[in-house]
Every structure is written in C-alpha cells, then in structure tokens.
Amino acid sequence: MIYVVDYGVGNVASLCNAIEEIGIACALISSPKKLKPNDKLVLPGVGAFPRAMHELKNASLLEFLYEEISFGRKLLGICLGMQILFEMSEEGGQISGLSLFPGLVRRFEVNPGARVPRIEWARIKKLKEHELLSGSSERDFYYFLHSFYCPLNDYYTIASSSYGIDYSAVVVKENLVGAQFHPEKSGRSGLRFLRNFANWE
Amino acid sequence: MIRLVGVLLWVNGRIVQTENFHVTNTIHEHPIHAVEAIEAEDLDELAIINITGDVSSKEPFVNHIRDLARGLRIPLIAGGQISSVSDFKQLLNVGADKIICNTAVIDDPALVETAVETYGSATVVASVDLSATLAEKIGNSRIYHNRLRKPISLTLDSWLHRQKELGIGEIFFNNVEHDGARIGYDLKGLQHVIENSNSPVIAFGGVGDWSHLAEGVDIGAGAVAFGNALHYVETAPRKAKLFLKRNGYAVREI
C-alpha cells in the first residue's frame, strides 16, 4: 500500500489516481497510523514551504514522519514535498525543513526567457544510475511547476534539471527520495517513475 | 520549451465553441468525450473553463473535474465561477493543478491574494479578456469583465499592475474579437502583456492555423493555447505539435 500524506497542501487526488493507474493500492493518511512493513509513504506538496511545515506540525505528522524514516520507511517527497526534506528554504523567510537533505532551497532568479514560476515540461539529466530511474531515457519529459529549487549535491542528486541554473530534479538518500517534478502529471514518464518507486526494494 | 495548451469551454456540462464570447454550438455532451476525442494526453496542459455564468453550475463542474482528473496524467487547469476560497479548494481537491480566475481578479482581489498565499503563486492563473479595439495606447485597452456580462472596469495596465501586486503566478491572455475568428492571436495585446509582466503568459484566442501558434511562441508566450481549433480536425494536438516541430520549434514529444 502506498500512503499519500494528506496535510492540506497537496493535490492528493491526482496522486492517488496515478498510483491506482499503475495498479498499486493507495490511501490517504492525515494523522499517525500503524503501517505494514511493505507500506510506502508519499509526501506531496503544493503551495508554500512555511505553510507546509506548519500543517505538518499541526497534524502531529512531523514526529511520525521522522520515526518512520528512521526505521527505514521508504518515502517519496514530490515538489514542495521534496523541498521540505531539506534543511531550510528562502520561501517566507528562512524556515526550517525536515533537514534530511543538506542545503538551502532558493528562489529562481528571473532571467529573460526564464520566467518564474518555472512552468514547463523538461528533460532531466541522469547523474547516477538508480532503480528509480530504470527504464527512463534522455528523451523523457517531466512536468515542472515551481518557483524554488533544491541545490545539487554530489552524494544525493541522481538527476538534475536546468533553468538558468542546474539544480536537483531527483535526490536519493537511503530510503528517501525527492522529485521536483510532478510524476502524477508527467504522462508515461511520470507513471514509470511512480512504478519504480512502488517496486523499489 | 513551449507548452501547447488545449482549452475546453464548459456550459452546464457540455463542451461548446464560441465566437466573440457568444456560444455558437455544442461540440460534446460531456467533457470526457471531448478529452477522448481530442486525445488530450498529447497536449502539455488541458484547461477547462466553466463559462455558464450561474452559481448552480459550480457543483456539476467540480464533479466533472473529478471525473476528468481520474484518467488524465497531464496538468489540468480549471476555472470559471471562482468566488470563494472553497471554490479553489474543491477544484484542487478533486484533481485540478491550477485554477484560472478572471472576474475575481477585478471584483475580489483579496480572495485572489488569499488563494496565492494558501496555495502558492504557481497554482493561480489570472485570465484577462482584452478588446483590442479603441485604445490609442495598448495599455489603455479595456478589459472585459465577467465574459461581457458587466461593464468594462479596468485598463490593461491597471490590470497588469494588480496581477503583479497579487503575486499571481501566470497570465492567461484572451481577446474578445479574436475569439473564434481564426485570425491568430492579438499579437499587439499579447506583446504588451509579455513585455509588461514577469510571469509566464498563456496566449489564447483566434487560432485557426497552426502558424498562429508559432507566432505566439515567437512573441515570447510561455504557452500557446487553442480552443475551437481543437475540434476542427482529428488529433489536433498531435498535428499542432508536428507543425511546430517541422518548423524548428522544440516541443514535448510523446
């Protein structure tokens, strides 16, 4: 079962629809719950970093997430859900995230031809081999919709994207993965990514 | 990379075509038929706008969005009749990714500001309906209000200022005279908007030929949208992308 964390800041419907489309059982979780050994978690996120952290705290989900993660629960953070896994974000001041990945989430600088938010389909550059990227090719496109980006990291970034600056498109650390694009909105490429996550041992 | 956006206009559950903002005919009795007929997954985004003009249409519209979002794996933009935070919430909850508001930007900026704060600027799209006639200076052109149901209230430049102030992430540009006219986008109006804003702009209104899409790209639109033209030929999105690709434009290939 894949549990999608419903903390009021995500497009949970689309995520569940996509997960079900690949044939995996999906349910929402909005407060701490006892999970089975093979269950996985998905942390969506749409909106703003400060509010997301606030909602997680309010729902008593922070402790729960830290515990699950420390016990090896596989978790996928999507878009803002990926950003809150990092140390801190510039959004709304310097707000602390879950600090599971190092670094500061920053706002894109506006450049001619690169307006903010970034709203476009784009390819990603595979930097390391990983089962989460299995079956993907250089020609796949993913949907990006964001104003802030996560920095590159030599250890954790397995795929990057470019928008005036190179940044992390996918990060992995042990049982944690973050994806800046929306796999539930990225057509077949996205479904493949979700399937890889579902199959990830 | 340019986005190709398909726009469906929804009236009481049916998908319609319009000309100068008047409904001319029904194309499909249910949006699901439209999505299948146009092979929507070839698009980069699908927009569906409730132009019914009646609050009783809200609930049926939300239900249809829920139905559509179930099988759609590309971004979905929903709009029309947005007058409360609950309208944003309901549509986002059933699977919309972005919400377009038009009248609210003019009548209820505080609502839009709240939506931006709550859901993020990337979730809110501000739609502007321009009339290209009259104005000596494009910036003085009049914005149509509530799909021509109310008198004109703002100039384009005042509207652009407001869009910026409210922190709305994206602009959806339309022109009343170009709607259904197959003469291409209002390039002057579009250029003015693009040059006087920092947000990505979706060009809309008037596409009759695929070359019109290219014109939109050339002028700096972040996305090129078409509505009526979706229904002129089979697999229109695919054909549009083929045209763009053959003419040297980078597009997302399926």
PDB file of all heavy atoms in Angstrom, chain A residues 22-41:
ATOM      1  N   ILE A  22      -1.319   2.695 -11.931  1.00  0.00           N
ATOM      2  CA  ILE A  22      -0.250   1.696 -12.101  1.00  0.00           C
ATOM      3  C   ILE A  22      -0.530   0.427 -11.308  1.00  0.00           C
ATOM      4  O   ILE A  22       0.326  -0.445 -11.179  1.00  0.00           O
ATOM      5  CB  ILE A  22       1.155   2.244 -11.757  1.00  0.00           C
ATOM      6  CG1 ILE A  22       1.210   2.766 -10.315  1.00  0.00           C
ATOM      7  CG2 ILE A  22       1.574   3.314 -12.753  1.00  0.00           C
ATOM      8  CD1 ILE A  22       2.630   3.064  -9.838  1.00  0.00           C
ATOM      9  N   GLY A  23      -1.716   0.344 -10.759  1.00  0.00           N
ATOM     10  CA  GLY A  23      -2.142  -0.911 -10.129  1.00  0.00           C
ATOM     11  C   GLY A  23      -1.710  -1.102  -8.687  1.00  0.00           C
ATOM     12  O   GLY A  23      -1.673  -2.228  -8.188  1.00  0.00           O
ATOM     13  N   ILE A  24      -1.363  -0.016  -8.022  1.00  0.00           N
ATOM     14  CA  ILE A  24      -0.957  -0.129  -6.617  1.00  0.00           C
ATOM     15  C   ILE A  24      -2.073   0.457  -5.745  1.00  0.00           C
ATOM     16  O   ILE A  24      -2.646   1.495  -6.077  1.00  0.00           O
ATOM     17  CB  ILE A  24       0.328   0.685  -6.348  1.00  0.00           C
ATOM     18  CG1 ILE A  24       1.408   0.333  -7.360  1.00  0.00           C
ATOM     19  CG2 ILE A  24       0.817   0.490  -4.919  1.00  0.00           C
ATOM     20  CD1 ILE A  24       2.053  -1.002  -7.174  1.00  0.00           C
ATOM     21  N   ALA A  25      -2.322  -0.192  -4.617  1.00  0.00           N
ATOM     22  CA  ALA A  25      -3.337   0.316  -3.697  1.00  0.00           C
ATOM     23  C   ALA A  25      -2.834   1.605  -3.072  1.00  0.00           C
ATOM     24  O   ALA A  25      -1.657   1.730  -2.729  1.00  0.00           O
ATOM     25  CB  ALA A  25      -3.628  -0.715  -2.617  1.00  0.00           C
ATOM     26  N   CYS A  26      -3.758   2.555  -2.934  1.00  0.00           N
ATOM     27  CA  CYS A  26      -3.379   3.865  -2.439  1.00  0.00           C
ATOM     28  C   CYS A  26      -4.397   4.349  -1.424  1.00  0.00           C
ATOM     29  O   CYS A  26      -5.595   4.161  -1.603  1.00  0.00           O
ATOM     30  CB  CYS A  26      -3.342   4.817  -3.643  1.00  0.00           C
ATOM     31  SG  CYS A  26      -3.008   6.504  -3.199  1.00  0.00           S
ATOM     32  N   ALA A  27      -3.918   4.960  -0.357  1.00  0.00           N
ATOM     33  CA  ALA A  27      -4.838   5.518   0.626  1.00  0.00           C
ATOM     34  C   ALA A  27      -4.240   6.797   1.187  1.00  0.00           C
ATOM     35  O   ALA A  27      -3.031   7.024   1.102  1.00  0.00           O
ATOM     36  CB  ALA A  27      -5.076   4.511   1.759  1.00  0.00           C
ATOM     37  N   LEU A  28      -5.109   7.631   1.737  1.00  0.00           N
ATOM     38  CA  LEU A  28      -4.645   8.881   2.327  1.00  0.00           C
ATOM     39  C   LEU A  28      -4.345   8.662   3.798  1.00  0.00           C
ATOM     40  O   LEU A  28      -4.945   7.806   4.450  1.00  0.00           O
ATOM     41  CB  LEU A  28      -5.719   9.963   2.195  1.00  0.00           C
ATOM     42  CG  LEU A  28      -6.082  10.378   0.787  1.00  0.00           C
ATOM     43  CD1 LEU A  28      -7.130  11.481   0.809  1.00  0.00           C
ATOM     44  CD2 LEU A  28      -4.865  10.860   0.015  1.00  0.00           C
ATOM     45  N   ILE A  29      -3.419   9.450   4.302  1.00  0.00           N
ATOM     46  CA  ILE A  29      -3.111   9.382   5.718  1.00  0.00           C
ATOM     47  C   ILE A  29      -2.974  10.811   6.219  1.00  0.00           C
ATOM     48  O   ILE A  29      -2.236  11.601   5.652  1.00  0.00           O
ATOM     49  CB  ILE A  29      -1.830   8.538   5.936  1.00  0.00           C
ATOM     50  CG1 ILE A  29      -1.507   8.392   7.409  1.00  0.00           C
ATOM     51  CG2 ILE A  29      -0.631   9.121   5.222  1.00  0.00           C
ATOM     52  CD1 ILE A  29      -0.323   7.465   7.643  1.00  0.00           C
ATOM     53  N   SER A  30      -3.749  11.172   7.234  1.00  0.00           N
ATOM     54  CA  SER A  30      -3.686  12.562   7.692  1.00  0.00           C
ATOM     55  C   SER A  30      -3.307  12.669   9.162  1.00  0.00           C
ATOM     56  O   SER A  30      -3.246  13.757   9.721  1.00  0.00           O
ATOM     57  CB  SER A  30      -5.016  13.271   7.432  1.00  0.00           C
ATOM     58  OG  SER A  30      -6.066  12.511   7.978  1.00  0.00           O
ATOM     59  N   SER A  31      -3.042  11.540   9.782  1.00  0.00           N
ATOM     60  CA  SER A  31      -2.538  11.549  11.160  1.00  0.00           C
ATOM     61  C   SER A  31      -1.758  10.247  11.359  1.00  0.00           C
ATOM     62  O   SER A  31      -1.894   9.320  10.557  1.00  0.00           O
ATOM     63  CB  SER A  31      -3.706  11.645  12.135  1.00  0.00           C
ATOM     64  OG  SER A  31      -4.577  10.562  11.943  1.00  0.00           O
ATOM     65  N   PRO A  32      -0.931  10.189  12.389  1.00  0.00           N
ATOM     66  CA  PRO A  32      -0.097   8.999  12.613  1.00  0.00           C
ATOM     67  C   PRO A  32      -0.921   7.713  12.590  1.00  0.00           C
ATOM     68  O   PRO A  32      -2.039   7.671  13.086  1.00  0.00           O
ATOM     69  CB  PRO A  32       0.501   9.246  14.005  1.00  0.00           C
ATOM     70  CG  PRO A  32       0.544  10.719  14.123  1.00  0.00           C
ATOM     71  CD  PRO A  32      -0.660  11.240  13.391  1.00  0.00           C
ATOM     72  N   LYS A  33      -0.323   6.698  11.984  1.00  0.00           N
ATOM     73  CA  LYS A  33      -1.037   5.424  11.792  1.00  0.00           C
ATOM     74  C   LYS A  33      -0.020   4.300  11.756  1.00  0.00           C
ATOM     75  O   LYS A  33       1.120   4.491  11.328  1.00  0.00           O
ATOM     76  CB  LYS A  33      -1.763   5.514  10.440  1.00  0.00           C
ATOM     77  CG  LYS A  33      -2.577   4.321  10.046  1.00  0.00           C
ATOM     78  CD  LYS A  33      -3.023   4.489   8.576  1.00  0.00           C
ATOM     79  CE  LYS A  33      -3.584   3.224   8.000  1.00  0.00           C
ATOM     80  NZ  LYS A  33      -4.895   2.834   8.534  1.00  0.00           N
ATOM     81  N   LYS A  34      -0.427   3.134  12.227  1.00  0.00           N
ATOM     82  CA  LYS A  34       0.481   1.983  12.192  1.00  0.00           C
ATOM     83  C   LYS A  34       0.496   1.423  10.771  1.00  0.00           C
ATOM     84  O   LYS A  34      -0.534   1.049  10.229  1.00  0.00           O
ATOM     85  CB  LYS A  34      -0.021   0.916  13.181  1.00  0.00           C
ATOM     86  CG  LYS A  34       0.903  -0.283  13.300  1.00  0.00           C
ATOM     87  CD  LYS A  34       0.961  -0.802  14.746  1.00  0.00           C
ATOM     88  CE  LYS A  34       1.635  -2.153  14.805  1.00  0.00           C
ATOM     89  NZ  LYS A  34       3.035  -2.085  14.303  1.00  0.00           N
ATOM     90  N   LEU A  35       1.688   1.368  10.196  1.00  0.00           N
ATOM     91  CA  LEU A  35       1.807   0.893   8.812  1.00  0.00           C
ATOM     92  C   LEU A  35       2.374  -0.520   8.775  1.00  0.00           C
ATOM     93  O   LEU A  35       3.028  -0.962   9.719  1.00  0.00           O
ATOM     94  CB  LEU A  35       2.729   1.825   8.012  1.00  0.00           C
ATOM     95  CG  LEU A  35       2.377   3.302   8.009  1.00  0.00           C
ATOM     96  CD1 LEU A  35       3.377   4.096   7.183  1.00  0.00           C
ATOM     97  CD2 LEU A  35       0.980   3.532   7.448  1.00  0.00           C
ATOM     98  N   LYS A  36       2.142  -1.205   7.660  1.00  0.00           N
ATOM     99  CA  LYS A  36       2.684  -2.554   7.493  1.00  0.00           C
ATOM    100  C   LYS A  36       4.110  -2.462   6.947  1.00  0.00           C
ATOM    101  O   LYS A  36       4.473  -1.461   6.343  1.00  0.00           O
ATOM    102  CB  LYS A  36       1.792  -3.333   6.528  1.00  0.00           C
ATOM    103  CG  LYS A  36       0.380  -3.572   7.035  1.00  0.00           C
ATOM    104  CD  LYS A  36      -0.226  -4.831   6.395  1.00  0.00           C
ATOM    105  CE  LYS A  36      -1.568  -5.158   6.980  1.00  0.00           C
ATOM    106  NZ  LYS A  36      -2.622  -4.188   6.538  1.00  0.00           N
ATOM    107  N   PRO A  37       4.884  -3.540   7.117  1.00  0.00           N
ATOM    108  CA  PRO A  37       6.299  -3.493   6.701  1.00  0.00           C
ATOM    109  C   PRO A  37       6.542  -3.009   5.277  1.00  0.00           C
ATOM    110  O   PRO A  37       7.483  -2.268   5.033  1.00  0.00           O
ATOM    111  CB  PRO A  37       6.758  -4.957   6.844  1.00  0.00           C
ATOM    112  CG  PRO A  37       5.852  -5.542   7.860  1.00  0.00           C
ATOM    113  CD  PRO A  37       4.542  -4.821   7.753  1.00  0.00           C
ATOM    114  N   ASN A  38       5.709  -3.422   4.326  1.00  0.00           N
ATOM    115  CA  ASN A  38       5.971  -3.040   2.934  1.00  0.00           C
ATOM    116  C   ASN A  38       5.296  -1.759   2.480  1.00  0.00           C
ATOM    117  O   ASN A  38       5.414  -1.364   1.330  1.00  0.00           O
ATOM    118  CB  ASN A  38       5.540  -4.166   1.989  1.00  0.00           C
ATOM    119  CG  ASN A  38       6.479  -5.353   2.097  1.00  0.00           C
ATOM    120  OD1 ASN A  38       7.626  -5.186   2.497  1.00  0.00           O
ATOM    121  ND2 ASN A  38       5.990  -6.528   1.767  1.00  0.00           N
ATOM    122  N   ASP A  39       4.608  -1.101   3.388  1.00  0.00           N
ATOM    123  CA  ASP A  39       3.935   0.144   3.013  1.00  0.00           C
ATOM    124  C   ASP A  39       4.957   1.227   2.722  1.00  0.00           C
ATOM    125  O   ASP A  39       6.039   1.265   3.310  1.00  0.00           O
ATOM    126  CB  ASP A  39       3.022   0.635   4.141  1.00  0.00           C
ATOM    127  CG  ASP A  39       1.790  -0.242   4.308  1.00  0.00           C
ATOM    128  OD1 ASP A  39       1.431  -0.957   3.354  1.00  0.00           O
ATOM    129  OD2 ASP A  39       1.191  -0.195   5.404  1.00  0.00           O
ATOM    130  N   LYS A  40       4.595   2.125   1.802  1.00  0.00           N
ATOM    131  CA  LYS A  40       5.481   3.250   1.492  1.00  0.00           C
ATOM    132  C   LYS A  40       4.701   4.556   1.701  1.00  0.00           C
ATOM    133  O   LYS A  40       3.466   4.552   1.738  1.00  0.00           O
ATOM    134  CB  LYS A  40       5.961   3.170   0.046  1.00  0.00           C
ATOM    135  CG  LYS A  40       6.866   1.982  -0.245  1.00  0.00           C
ATOM    136  CD  LYS A  40       7.485   2.103  -1.640  1.00  0.00           C
ATOM    137  CE  LYS A  40       8.590   1.098  -1.847  1.00  0.00           C
ATOM    138  NZ  LYS A  40       8.161  -0.089  -2.566  1.00  0.00           N
ATOM    139  N   LEU A  41       5.445   5.641   1.803  1.00  0.00           N
ATOM    140  CA  LEU A  41       4.821   6.942   2.006  1.00  0.00           C
ATOM    141  C   LEU A  41       5.144   7.885   0.854  1.00  0.00           C
ATOM    142  O   LEU A  41       6.244   7.875   0.322  1.00  0.00           O
ATOM    143  CB  LEU A  41       5.361   7.592   3.297  1.00  0.00           C
ATOM    144  CG  LEU A  41       4.858   7.034   4.622  1.00  0.00           C
ATOM    145  CD1 LEU A  41       5.698   7.575   5.779  1.00  0.00           C
ATOM    146  CD2 LEU A  41       3.389   7.400   4.847  1.00  0.00           C
TER     147      LEU A  41
END
